[in-house]
Amino acid sequence: MDTDARPTGRKLTRKGRETRQRIVAAAAELMYERGIAEATLEEVRAAAGVSGSQIYHYFADKQALLLAVIDFQTQAVLDMHQPQFSRLDTMAGLRQWRDMHVEYHRRLQYRGGCPIGSLGGEVAETNPEARLAVAAGLVRWEAALRDGLQAMHDRGELDADPEDLALAMLAALQGGLLLMQIQRRVKPLEAALDTVLDHVQSRIRSS
């Protein structure tokens, strides 16, 4: 979705982009906290401090706003993790990535889960367009994990398929976050990430 475009396809002014971003950020927070179905456009309007006509100026309907929220949440997650991505080409860096996730969600008291995964769970069986948007976001995340593993493989250190390992890491993270959210304890996330990283460690060639 073109983040600088109106439903008409025309580019936005700086003020227009700021207003649109405020609407999307408010919708993202409400959908994350309350769920997509429960977050109404009226609540988004009030939270963003805009009029109803302004929402429809930027978004044709709630579906268009949802797609913008998926893009917003994907970019927010990737931006938050960006400092870690450049260090995922060593086991030490991978362990630090694991620790970052555990500590971050411990501070949140195990609530909320993954913003991208939570959206995916809501739309997977009911909204094909949104499901594909979430899938595309997760592919971007998987690619960022794969880059570090690929660097290890290219150096001759890793004796395994980086693509499969990146997918397993993302699956472990998403599954661990879901169980953590349900059980309200960090152990599922720790166990999932430790197990997949122990497997990566086992495929490191001895020097």
Side-chain angles (χ1 to χ4, degrees), residues 8-200:
T8 61
R10 292 197 297 269
K11 291 291 184 178
L12 300 176
T13 63
R14 179 183 61 80
K15 184 177 180 181
R17 288 194 299 271
E18 291 173 352
T19 301
R20 184 185 186 280
Q21 186 76 351
R22 192 163 72 250
I23 294 169
V24 174
E29 184 173 355
L30 285 168
M31 290 180 183
Y32 183 57
E33 292 178 351
R34 296 172 50 103
I36 296 169
E38 295 298 320
T40 67
L41 289 180
E42 174 58 25
E43 289 173 322
V44 173
R45 182 203 65 74
V50 299
S51 67
S53 62
Q54 281 179 296
I55 289 183
Y56 287 107
H57 178 75
Y58 298 106
F59 303 100
D61 50 27
K62 189 175 180 180
Q63 173 74 357
L65 179 56
L66 171 59
L67 295 175
V69 165
I70 292 170
D71 184 68
F72 174 87
Q73 292 287 40
T74 298
Q75 194 59 52
V77 167
L78 293 176
D79 286 347
M80 183 179 74
H81 294 164
Q82 190 60 48
Q84 292 290 328
F85 288 151
S86 63
R87 297 193 287 268
L88 296 183
D89 62 342
T90 66
M91 281 309 305
L94 290 170
R95 298 288 184 188
Q96 289 172 1
W97 172 80
R98 173 266 191 208
D99 293 344
M100 180 272 292
H101 278 288
V102 169
E103 291 307 313
Y104 176 76
H105 289 284
R106 183 178 281 125
R107 289 197 303 271
L108 294 181
Q109 297 183 319
Y110 325 124
R111 297 177 182 273
C114 172
I116 307 174
S118 296
L119 288 168
E122 290 193 69
V123 304
E125 304 302 333
T126 60
N127 191 327
E129 187 180 16
R131 179 185 64 80
L132 290 174
V134 172
L138 291 173
V139 166
R140 292 175 60 193
W141 199 348
E142 181 186 338
L145 298 175
R146 185 178 65 245
D147 287 346
L149 297 165
Q150 186 66 54
M152 296 170 70
H153 185 273
D154 292 345
R155 294 196 302 262
E157 300 169 6
L158 182 63
D159 181 22
D161 185 338
E163 187 169 346
D164 287 349
L165 289 180
L167 181 59
M169 285 172 59
L170 185 58
L173 175 62
Q174 291 297 320
L177 286 173
L178 177 60
L179 288 177
M180 178 202 71
Q181 184 183 9
I182 293 169
Q183 297 182 11
R184 288 291 191 266
R185 63 187 188 123
V186 77
K187 183 63 176 177
L189 180 60
E190 290 179 314
L193 294 182
D194 286 344
T195 299
V196 74
L197 292 185
D198 285 348
H199 176 67
V200 175

